[in-house]
Amino acid sequence: MKSHVKAVVIGGGVVGCSVLYHLAKAGWTDIMLIERSELTSGSSWHAAGGFHTLNGDPNVAKLQAYTVQLYKEIEEISGQSCSLHLTGGVMMADTPERMDFLRLAHAKGRYLGMDTELITPSEAKAMFPLMDETNFVGAMWDPVEGHLDPSGTTIAYSKAAKKLGAEIVLRNRVVELTQEVDGTWNVVTEQGTVKAEHVVNCGGLWAREVGRMVGLELPVLAMEHMYLITEDMPEVAAWNAKTGTEIIHAVDFDGELYLRQERGGMLMGTYEKANKPWSEYQTPWNFGHELLAPDIDRIAPSLEVGFRHFPAFQNTGIKQIINGPFTFAPDGNPLVGPVRGLPGFWVACGVMAGFSQGGGVGLALSNWMIEGDPGADIWAMDVARYGDWATMAYTNAKVRENYSRRFSIRFPNEELPAGRPLKTTPVYDLLSAKGAQWGVAYGLEVPLWYAPEGVKDEFSWRRSSDFTQVAKEVATVRDGVGLSEISSFAKYKVTGEGAAAWLDRMLACKLPKPGRMTLAPMLKEDGRLIGDFTLANLGSEGWFLAGSGIAEQYHMRWFEKHLPDDGSVRIEALGAKLTGLSIAGPKARDVLAKATRSDVSNAAFSFMAIGRMDIGMAPCLVGRVSYTGDLGYEIWVAPEYQRAAYQALMAAGGEFGIGLFGSRALNALRLDKNYGSWGREYRPIYGPLEAGLDRFVAYGKDADFIGKAAALAERRQGGKLRLRAFIVDADDADVIGDEPIWFDGAVRGWVTSGGYTHHSKKSVAVGYVPKEIADESDGFEIELLGKRHAARIQAVPLFDANFERMRA
């Protein structure tokens, strides 16, 4: 075993071997994988081995498609068969709501290049003869589904990596990780210590234990997962003889079941409601090629549905029940990427669907380690999407909920209850008393809308029970004044003698003068958007940044990576140390003027001004800006004063008809103005010109800001895409994101977000199309729930196109 290498990968499952292979393929041959036992000695060896490309996040779906395509490559390089069975598969809908889900998935597949097809129950039965088609209303066929040999595939990755120069050390547990002052990692093992520049935690079932070696509690939990294998079935033999093919894969959402052929019988697996965590607090190091005791009673309700939907199972015996542990993150997606505050420490764990995602995870992580960027938009898998609030108890609750709902519909207006409420602001009870219906953002409860007594969300793909009330909240803002709780924004304080110069390099905007704010795009080296903020110059107090709350850890990782070594710049994520309120609407100034003794006239406190003032008795930082596109103010206040500030504003607003509004009304208001949002319109796959943010980029400023050269090149070349807003001739449903945009009979773009703008009474979609067609007036359609609706580009905002209200 070498004593010094560039990178050590800990864990010899499919993910660890994929990471090792991709690092070696990219040219890093001075690398080592260390495995405590044998390869696949965790979850990989007992996996059902299925794979597919469909995923709720289109960027993850692309990586899954790459994974499937990769198997032929590693077979050729390694000489090891993966036993690939590309059978195709059907997903079956038992209700109209599930059929709508499949229509949305099919539509999303159009712009991802997936060749799916919506079919009838009888057509599905012709492909999957074991089903009773009378239990279903439709299905979707996907030709890129199948299964493989988990052990053979893992070994193929490992052999390919070794042929490219990588080293693999087996039967050698890592017992300690320490870091030197120069950043070098000491990987202490049972056979000695290896020094490495990088360490990758691919520990699988032991990812928590490896994380704890560096003081990290990763939000992952292992769940018992069962599938059964039947005795040989005559129906299977008859189909094989008749067609010369295997029986395809199938997913039965109602039964929480997946099925495929296994030799002469069938494999049936389930994500049962009565699920059970395994080894909740610590994974024993001596666990390996063992299985857990079957518990058929726990999966009996799903099996009963399966035997009814697939009658052939009633006439055959069960040969074996496999029960083994798999790890999950709270939302079911992997945890991938560099860990904030631990230079050179990386994670690739919680990859439950290892044979669908393992190749893509290995590619993204190797790109990130070598090039400094994953080469794809992998936010849905980024470890930075979780903060310290994702405790062990929270993870346990959310993983159990996610497991039990793996085959359940998640409607666009549905909020899941497990692990909540966890983080709340001081006005939580006051807003609850007003009928607040709560959602969650980065662990914090946020008000979505305010329901009259007896009214709650009715989950649906279509306009629902909140529609009328959200319209009233929008009218409150547009006609008078509304108040919203905005603590979910991320807030940062930047100080130090080098702060201005550092911000000038980090952000692409021109820095504002003292007492002023500006919109501030942030770019990566390749000129793509990594963030968008509001930047405020607080003079002698330093600088204040506000941005997307869900990206706080993500952005702090980026900020800290670029801090100077001399200590001249300090940045702090304020988090719960600063809470927020916002008032907006034509009477917002009247309310603020009554609540404070400060001069808030337009002459004294103009658009994009910021300053300190007391609201009632509460000391606040107030900025004249609003995401509603109306006259408005954002009010930042220490948590101990938030209730007082809220009560002062509500009392002052009484004579002006002040009312509360939530994030669903805010969405409708921002769509009136064609405003985009981080995580949807603004992501690290788009440039500022493409996203319509180039007007905020100070191309001519002296500072050589990060991404400047690439942004200038994009500006010269024109980019490839354009962000556009569309008016959609919708029926009773609006876009939610990821719907295809058609032009002249072909799919040319995709929707990023949208909804109904109650003030303008229009259904709006925002999305990207090629620049060549971005200014066409006719020919667009947007596919929604299986139907194509005419759409027209809305080049100027529907509301206050000249920005007079917000500047008045």
Side-chain angles (χ1 to χ4, degrees):
M1 185 174 72
K2 294 179 181 177
S3 60
H4 293 75
V5 293
K6 192 167 187 67
V8 167
V9 177
I10 301 174
V14 64
V15 175
C17 291
S18 172
V19 170
L20 189 75
Y21 167 71
H22 282 91
L23 287 172
K25 181 182 176 182
W28 279 18
T29 54
D30 186 20
I31 54 178
M32 177 187 297
L33 183 148
I34 301 176
E35 162 57 40
R36 50 174 269 290
S37 181
E38 307 292 338
L39 296 181
T40 78
S41 296
S43 296
S44 295
W45 75 273
H46 61 74
F51 59 80
H52 55 88
T53 57
L54 188 69
N55 188 280
D57 187 290
N59 298 290
V60 177
K62 292 175 185 176
L63 290 177
Q64 290 184 190
Y66 165 81
T67 300
V68 176
Q69 296 164 2
L70 182 67
Y71 290 132
K72 291 294 184 183
E73 175 183 311
I74 62 171
E75 281 184 331
E76 292 174 1
I77 294 173
S78 67
Q80 168 73 43
S81 171
C82 296
S83 297
L84 199 66
H85 298 250
L86 190 63
T87 63
V90 287
M91 295 184 174
M92 292 179 283
D94 60 293
T95 65
E97 290 78 15
R98 177 59 71 180
M99 197 63 212
D100 280 341
F101 167 84
L102 293 181
R103 290 187 183 101
L104 288 165
H106 174 60
K108 186 184 301 183
R110 292 190 195 277
Y111 73 80
L112 293 174
M114 296 172 63
D115 189 25
T116 61
E117 181 183 355
L118 297 175
I119 58 177
T120 66
S122 59
E123 289 172 323
K125 182 175 177 62
M127 297 177 173
F128 192 85
L130 305 184
M131 65 182 283
D132 177 357
E133 73 270 28
T134 63
N135 292 293
F136 302 99
V137 300
M140 186 177 77
W141 159 252
D142 182 1
V144 188
E145 290 190 22
H147 60 276
L148 44 67
D149 171 23
S151 294
T153 301
T154 305
I155 292 169
Y157 275 121
S158 68
K159 285 184 175 180
K162 287 196 290 186
K163 283 194 173 183
L164 294 172
E167 181 181 358
I168 295 177
V169 180
L170 304 178
R171 298 173 291 283
N172 183 31
R173 182 166 71 89
V174 173
V175 296
E176 185 180 12
L177 294 170
T178 62
Q179 193 169 29
E180 304 287 355
V181 175
D182 66 358
T184 302
W185 287 94
N186 296 310
V187 183
V188 183
T189 78
E190 294 171 330
Q191 297 177 16
T193 298
V194 182
K195 290 187 175 295
E197 296 176 35
H198 301 270
V199 172
V200 188
N201 178 1
C202 297
L205 292 175
W206 296 269
R208 289 180 305 182
E209 282 65 36
V210 175
R212 289 167 185 163
M213 293 178 186
V214 297
L216 182 66
E217 188 65 41
L218 287 166
V220 291
L221 176 69
M223 300 293 291
E224 294 191 12
H225 179 70
M226 280 180 278
Y227 62 87
L228 61 85
I229 299 171
T230 73
E231 302 286 355
D232 289 355
M233 298 173 65
E235 295 87 352
V236 172
W239 177 266
N240 296 161
K242 175 183 175 182
T243 66
T245 63
E246 290 182 70
I247 290 182
I248 63 173
H249 280 223
V251 172
D252 175 5
F253 293 105
D254 183 45
E256 292 111 15
L257 298 166
Y258 59 89
L259 307 96
R260 69 165 174 85
Q261 183 172 338
E262 174 67 15
R263 299 184 183 275
M266 292 292 295
L267 180 152
M268 177 188 285
T270 179
Y271 289 89
E272 70 280 3
K273 298 295 185 188
N275 53 65
K276 184 180 179 181
W278 176 77
S279 194
E280 295 179 72
Y281 309 113
Q282 189 167 2
T283 306
W285 287 106
N286 60 356
F287 184 82
H289 279 86
E290 297 105 326
L291 291 173
L292 309 177
D295 186 356
I296 197 166
D297 290 338
R298 203 169 75 238
I299 63 173
S302 291
L303 297 184
E304 288 175 8
V305 176
F307 292 168
R308 185 172 70 251
H309 287 185
F310 309 98
F313 281 81
Q314 300 174 18
N315 304 317
T316 190
I318 297 174
K319 181 165 64 176
Q320 186 178 14
I321 297 176
I322 306 294
N323 185 16
F326 288 88
T327 56
F328 295 76
D331 61 2
N333 279 337
L335 301 175
V336 180
V339 175
R340 177 189 166 203
L342 293 172
F345 188 82
W346 307 77
V347 297
C349 56
V351 190
M352 181 280 303
F355 296 97
S356 291
Q357 299 175 340
V361 167
L363 175 67
L365 192 66
S366 65
N367 285 341
W368 217 335
M369 294 174 67
I370 295 170
E371 305 294 339
D373 187 271
D377 183 359
I378 66 160
W379 168 251
M381 300 194 298
D382 196 324
V383 65
R385 71 188 187 275
Y386 291 106
D388 294 342
W389 46 271
T391 61
M392 183 183 291
Y394 169 90
T395 298
N396 191 302
K398 294 304 289 186
V399 168
R400 295 186 71 170
E401 178 185 64
N402 177 271
Y403 185 97
S404 71
R405 291 181 51 90
R406 185 158 180 81
F407 285 159
S408 300
I409 294 174
R410 173 74 181 272
F411 291 101
N413 64 334
E414 185 175 7
E415 297 294 324
L416 303 182
R420 297 176 53 202
L422 177 58
K423 291 197 296 181
T424 60
T425 62
V427 295
Y428 176 81
D429 61 322
L430 300 179
L431 301 185
S432 293
K434 296 288 188 178
Q437 303 300 298
W438 296 95
V440 65
Y442 202 63
L444 180 69
E445 296 293 315
V446 295
L448 302 173
W449 64 291
Y450 293 85
E453 189 173 351
V455 178
K456 292 187 178 296
D457 264 326
E458 295 175 1
F459 306 140
S460 174
W461 297 115
R462 292 166 170 78
R463 296 169 190 163
S464 189
S465 52
D466 66 335
F467 189 79
T468 300
Q469 188 61 27
V470 170
K472 293 178 180 178
E473 294 176 24
V474 168
T476 295
V477 175
R478 289 288 186 243
D479 298 340
V481 57
L483 182 148
S484 65
E485 216 278 2
I486 59 169
S487 300
S488 60
F489 281 97
K491 294 83 62 179
Y492 311 89
K493 182 179 180 181
V494 185
T495 57
E497 61 183 17
W502 181 74
L503 286 167
D504 217 12
R505 169 166 165 72
M506 294 298 296
L507 303 175
C509 62
K510 181 180 179 181
L511 299 190
K513 295 178 180 180
R516 303 296 299 171
M517 297 183 291
T518 190
L519 296 180
M522 185 165 69
L523 310 180
K524 300 186 299 172
E525 287 85 352
D526 62 2
R528 302 294 180 177
L529 289 163
I530 198 172
D532 72 306
F533 302 90
T534 301
L535 171 67
N537 186 338
L538 303 183
S540 60
E541 294 184 49
W543 302 80
F544 176 73
L545 275 172
S548 172
I550 62 172
E552 180 183 292
Q553 192 89 340
Y554 175 81
H555 285 139
M556 280 299 292
R557 184 177 65 192
W558 179 261
F559 289 141
E560 290 173 348
K561 176 183 177 181
H562 292 89
L563 283 175
D565 295 330
D566 59 8
S568 61
V569 181
R570 295 176 295 279
I571 183 167
E572 178 186 4
L574 298 173
K577 295 179 182 178
L578 199 64
T579 57
L581 302 167
S582 174
I583 54 174
K587 297 179 182 178
R589 182 185 289 115
D590 298 324
V591 173
L592 185 60
K594 188 173 180 180
T596 184
R597 297 184 64 186
S598 299
D599 185 354
V600 293
S601 66
N602 194 43
F605 202 67
S606 60
F607 179 60
M608 298 302 277
I610 190 166
R612 299 281 180 185
M613 62 182 72
D614 293 345
I615 294 177
M617 295 184 291
C620 301
L621 176 66
V622 181
R624 190 178 152 187
V625 66
S626 173
Y627 194 45
T628 65
D630 218 314
L631 171 66
Y633 305 86
E634 291 182 352
I635 299 158
W636 303 106
V637 56
E640 60 265 33
Y641 298 118
Q642 192 193 30
R643 290 176 74 94
Y646 167 82
Q647 290 166 336
L649 289 167
M650 292 300 286
E655 68 178 273
F656 303 107
I658 194 169
L660 299 173
F661 69 101
S663 61
R664 290 184 185 169
L666 183 61
N667 184 61
L669 292 162
R670 66 100 181 174
L671 290 171
D672 261 337
K673 296 289 292 181
N674 291 0
Y675 288 166
S677 63
W678 174 255
R680 278 302 191 173
E681 285 71 45
Y682 311 141
R683 295 185 75 143
I685 52 176
Y686 307 122
L689 176 63
E690 294 177 326
L693 293 181
D694 55 311
R695 66 189 185 279
F696 303 112
V697 175
Y699 294 97
K701 72 176 182 177
D702 293 335
D704 188 20
F705 60 86
I706 295 173
K708 183 176 183 178
L712 283 167
E714 182 202 36
R715 194 185 196 193
R716 288 192 302 269
Q717 297 161 8
K720 296 180 180 180
L721 303 170
R722 290 293 185 273
L723 182 65
R724 290 291 183 262
F726 296 85
I727 306 300
V728 186
D729 291 344
D731 297 326
D732 61 344
D734 306 291
V735 300
I736 57 176
D738 295 327
E739 294 87 354
I741 300 174
W742 295 72
F743 180 75
D744 279 355
V747 174
R748 300 295 305 278
W750 55 90
V751 172
T752 50
S753 68
Y756 191 80
T757 60
H758 295 272
H759 178 74
S760 303
K761 294 180 171 53
K762 304 289 185 183
S763 185
V764 172
V766 183
Y768 281 91
V769 294
K771 67 178 180 181
E772 293 79 13
I773 62 172
D775 297 315
E776 295 289 340
S777 56
D778 298 311
F780 287 102
E781 296 173 301
I782 291 178
E783 186 172 348
L784 182 56
L785 295 175
K787 180 180 177 182
R788 285 153 59 177
H789 298 261
R792 300 168 301 284
I793 287 179
Q794 182 66 30
V796 298
L798 289 163
F799 172 77
D800 192 27
N802 296 321
F803 296 86
E804 294 173 355
R805 283 267 284 260
M806 63 194 309
R807 298 175 183 275

